[in-house]
Amino acid sequence: MNRILIKNAKIVNEGTIFEGDLLIEDSFIKEIAESISAKPDVKVIDAEGNFLIPGAIDDQVHFREPGLTHKGNIESESRAAVAGGITSFIEQPNTVPNAVTQELLEDKYRIAAETSYANYGFMMGGTNDNLEEILKTNPKNVPGIKLFLGSSTGNMLVDDEAVLEKIFSSTKMLIAAHCEDEATIRENLAKYKEEYGDDIPVKFHPLIRSAGACYISSSRAIELAKKTGARLHVFHVSTAKETELFTNKIPLEEKKITAEVCIHHLWFSDADYDTKGALIKWNPAVKTAEDRQALWDALLDDRIDVVATDHAPHTLEEKKNPYTSSPSGGPLVQHAVVAMFEAYHQKKISVEKIVEKMAHNPAKLFRIEKRGFIKEGYYADLVIVNPGLPWNVKKENILYKCGWSPFEGVNFKSRITHTFVNGNLVYTNFKVKDLRCGERLLFDR
């Protein structure tokens, strides 16, 4: 029997921090108390002065397997995720081939069962012509349906209005949407291509994939969700104007329309293109400092429900291509939790709120079974964070297969010291153990 006792931790759960002990037995949290006596067969970890938080649940990653494994794969990126305190992830369907049939979706689950360090769920992809396959999706063991309403990596743009309405009105599953208006983007791109050819300065990216393009698409998707009664989750909100589309007037459990913000939109602004260039080229684009502040405001007042990464690695060689062939996306799972703790040190957000947005709310929103909270009987997906252990991000400690990070050179004040997945200590002494112990996420639906 695997038994681990974590002592003297600042346990963070459901808006409170209390000092106490926690006993792990096999895969689960067995006991939480002010003080638990150590038995001879129990491994003891003293967490004094450190936070014990539920493992983060990242509701949007691109781990690139199958078909794009020169950029990353489930094994390499889940390894980086557990080092970063992310114990569960939901991966997107724009791999090669796209996960748009039940058979292709299950292929990804088979790979993860053998190779993933973290718990995993895979979104079913929607296209203009696969409604029959979408309707076969099992809500108990698949997190939701992903729709690209603006083109991104891959070829999954859903732009047929009749098909969209049919999908929205036919499925009771959560629909997660990438919202950017394709016609607006194409028009903007044509204007800049006329002036610069393919080598458009990357600083124009937020003007090409503009705030207007985001708002048009998000507002249309929300209108359609309201019309059809669909359950809609809007991925990576990036503009001030979009934040006005969401409400904080009702509890998350009652919301039918929810929103996510990503680390890069909370950290960077368009001023950073001068130094970071294509390394911070994402879709949707990083926009103005005013947009960034509005995203923080909406996150803190609960119009935005979840913080995620949209982790999407590309090689440095690919990123160095001219603008029109330089892919959008970047790796983030190893540094997301500590980036949010940096905001805690800057007094922008509390630790309790970080836990709410990165663990509790993803679990509630997707109705994930027995994860996302520190409760007796729940899976022991846990992370110890030392808030006073500074470190510097450099090539040697980056675990992404692509070998780079937009945070390279950043000094973080906090560091993750331990990560547990299903009760297994997978990360300690700043090393990931060779324990691929992730399990398939299940959903209470």
Side-chain angles (χ1 to χ4, degrees):
M1 183 180 282
N2 172 43
R3 301 183 86 203
I4 301 170
L5 177 60
I6 302 168
K7 289 197 70 68
N8 309 313
K10 294 177 180 174
I11 300 171
V12 189
N13 192 62
E14 295 184 287
T16 65
I17 300 176
F18 65 97
E19 209 155 297
D21 299 352
L22 182 146
L23 178 65
I24 297 168
E25 204 167 89
D26 291 333
S27 298
F28 298 97
I29 299 168
K30 174 72 174 172
E31 186 183 353
I32 304 163
E34 203 172 299
S35 182
I36 302 171
S37 301
K39 303 270 168 56
D41 62 337
V42 175
K43 175 184 170 70
V44 177
I45 295 170
D46 189 353
E48 190 165 1
N50 296 339
F51 293 108
L52 179 65
I53 66 172
I57 300 170
D58 192 342
D59 80 348
Q60 189 190 180
V61 303
H62 304 264
F63 280 178
R64 305 304 192 198
E65 189 171 14
L68 300 163
T69 52
H70 66 287
K71 302 173 193 278
N73 58 40
I74 291 167
E75 182 178 358
S76 65
E77 307 313 282
S78 68
R79 192 167 168 267
V82 297
I86 291 167
T87 56
S88 298
F89 63 84
I90 294 174
E91 211 258 359
Q92 304 309 301
N94 53 331
T95 40
V96 179
N98 300 149
V100 295
T101 68
Q102 297 301 319
E103 188 182 348
L104 291 169
L105 183 63
E106 286 304 317
D107 283 346
K108 293 173 78 166
Y109 276 105
R110 278 193 283 275
I111 296 166
E114 292 177 8
T115 64
S116 187
Y117 288 85
N119 305 309
Y120 47 87
F122 294 94
M123 297 291 266
M124 175 67 181
T127 70
N128 280 328
D129 54 13
N130 78 332
L131 180 61
E132 204 175 301
E133 285 293 319
I134 287 173
L135 295 180
K136 293 178 192 169
T137 308
N138 183 350
K140 292 280 185 193
N141 64 9
V142 177
I145 311 301
K146 171 68 179 286
L147 299 178
F148 287 89
L149 308 185
S151 61
S152 193
T153 304
N155 185 28
M156 291 188 63
L157 177 65
V158 183
D159 56 0
D160 184 318
E161 294 293 329
V163 168
L164 264 181
E165 183 154 350
K166 189 87 172 147
I167 293 171
F168 270 64
S169 56
S170 301
T171 181
K172 287 188 167 61
M173 289 195 73
L174 178 146
I175 296 168
H178 174 131
C179 293
E180 291 183 283
D181 182 61
E182 195 63 20
T184 303
I185 292 165
R186 283 180 183 156
E187 191 181 311
N188 293 340
L189 180 60
K191 187 174 75 176
Y192 283 94
K193 273 191 84 166
E194 201 175 312
E195 188 171 347
Y196 294 100
D198 286 325
D199 210 2
I200 300 165
V202 74
K203 68 180 180 181
F204 294 122
H205 188 56
L207 302 180
I208 293 168
R209 300 190 83 102
S210 62
C214 293
Y215 185 79
I216 289 167
S217 183
S218 295
S219 56
R220 273 188 196 147
I222 288 167
E223 198 179 311
L224 187 56
K226 286 177 176 173
K227 177 183 173 185
T228 57
R231 171 69 184 88
L232 176 66
H233 184 46
V234 180
F235 273 160
H236 42 45
V237 173
S238 64
T239 71
K241 198 171 181 190
E242 284 173 290
T243 65
E244 296 162 15
L245 295 167
F246 304 97
T247 186
N248 55 8
K249 304 294 184 215
I250 54 174
L252 175 59
E253 292 88 339
E254 294 173 26
K255 288 187 184 184
K256 291 208 79 173
I257 295 162
T258 52
E260 170 213 271
V261 67
C262 289
I263 293 291
H264 44 286
H265 294 124
L266 293 172
W267 185 281
F268 298 104
S269 77
D270 57 2
D272 295 306
Y273 287 110
D274 288 343
T275 53
K276 293 287 183 181
L279 298 186
I280 62 162
K281 184 188 181 204
W282 273 278
N283 299 338
V286 167
K287 298 184 175 70
T288 67
E290 290 74 25
D291 286 306
R292 178 176 61 190
Q293 185 55 53
L295 295 171
W296 272 108
D297 293 344
L299 181 69
L300 293 170
D301 73 15
D302 298 334
R303 282 172 291 152
I304 291 178
D305 306 288
V306 166
V307 173
T309 66
D310 193 15
H311 173 92
H314 300 283
T315 66
L316 277 174
E317 289 68 32
E318 289 167 331
K319 279 288 193 180
K320 286 172 185 166
N321 286 338
Y323 175 83
T324 54
S325 52
S326 172
S328 293
L332 280 168
V333 287
Q334 190 183 345
H335 304 104
V337 173
V338 289
M340 290 303 289
F341 267 81
E342 203 63 19
Y344 153 72
H345 286 293
Q346 294 161 4
K347 303 200 179 337
K348 285 183 187 170
I349 190 169
S350 68
V351 176
E352 299 95 314
K353 202 75 169 170
I354 293 171
V355 166
E356 178 189 309
K357 300 296 184 177
M358 299 189 84
H360 299 342
N361 282 5
K364 286 180 183 179
L365 198 146
F366 285 90
R367 303 180 74 173
I368 301 171
E369 286 186 1
K370 292 189 174 180
R371 301 189 192 275
F373 294 85
I374 299 181
K375 292 181 179 178
E376 291 174 3
Y378 271 56
Y379 286 99
D381 296 338
L382 300 164
V383 175
I384 299 175
V385 183
N386 185 330
L389 189 62
W391 65 293
N392 178 263
V393 180
K394 48 193 175 188
K395 281 266 187 286
E396 306 88 83
N397 57 35
I398 291 170
L399 297 181
Y400 311 126
K401 188 173 184 183
C402 65
W404 64 274
S405 164
F407 286 118
E408 198 169 331
V410 170
N411 290 304
F412 287 117
K413 291 185 176 69
S414 302
R415 194 159 194 186
I416 286 148
T417 60
H418 302 73
T419 303
F420 302 84
V421 177
N422 301 311
N424 298 282
L425 181 56
V426 295
Y427 178 76
T428 183
N429 298 321
F430 314 120
K431 297 255 186 320
V432 181
K433 292 184 176 182
D434 192 18
L435 289 170
R436 295 166 186 81
C437 54
E439 294 181 7
R440 185 172 186 154
L441 296 173
L442 298 175
F443 306 91
D444 184 17
R445 301 169 176 151

